Amino acid sequence: ISGHPLDRFAWESATFSTAELGKLGELEHRSKVRVTGLITDLRKLFTKRTQEAMAAFRLEGKETSIDAVIFPDAFRVFGTGLHENQPVIVGAEVNRGEGPKLMINEVYPLQDAGKTYAIRLSVALDQDEVTDERLAGLKAACRANKGSVEFIIDLRYPTGDAISVKPESHFNVYPCQALMDALAEEVG
């Protein structure tokens, strides 16, 4: 028995989505959202007047789905990345005209959500928690999940003061569930 294709992206969906597919109908018209799902029923279309390429598809979540349209300007940038049954994260506006529909502004593979939307990842440690063993564990977690996102250690002192320590750029990370699990194991 296999799970839903989105199951392996639970952390990315929970971390980078701003709304749930099933609740989009409750939002105001033209609300900006970021949601995740699978592309299904993908159809390439052309505008009537200028014959510019665009696309329509269903964005399917685990329990519901919604129609989505990507117009020519966004299609020129993101169209080559649209594939049937691909897990994606989309930035869109909610159109409530004929039932909720998404007007897509951006589309990224869901596995790239961390490197697309994260600017930095911070780990907070109390001064007395900093040991050579813990620092070695953090270093190993960073090396196992190399990426382009800045990794910061926020060091808190008993006086209430704090400093942020930025390791060298070769400790930049790829935010994903595996990294979060490794960091949780190191810092709790």
Side-chain angles (χ1 to χ4, degrees), residues 5 29 36 41 68 74 94 101 111 123 131 133 135 167 171:
H29 181 66
T36 62
D41 300 326
V94 177
K101 181 186 277 190
Q111 68 264 18
V123 171
T131 64
E133 183 179 318
L135 291 176
F171 288 105

Side-chain angles (χ1 to χ4, degrees), residues 1 8 22 31 33-35 39 47 49 57-58 69 74 76 78 87 112 117-119 152 163 179:
I1 296 175
R8 69 185 192 116
S31 293
V33 297
R34 190 182 306 142
V35 292
I39 292 175
T47 60
R49 199 169 48 116
F57 57 89
R58 297 276 304 160
V69 176
R76 276 191 287 283
F78 300 102
D112 293 344
Y117 294 110
I119 297 168
I152 304 285
I163 62 167
L179 175 61

Side-chain angles (χ1 to χ4, degrees), residues 133-147:
E133 183 179 318
R134 176 154 288 142
L135 291 176
L138 292 174
K139 186 177 187 179
C142 290
R143 286 195 170 149
N145 295 279
K146 283 183 176 276

Side-chain angles (χ1 to χ4, degrees), residues 134 182-188:
R134 176 154 288 142
L183 293 176
E185 191 173 308
E186 289 305 321
V187 298

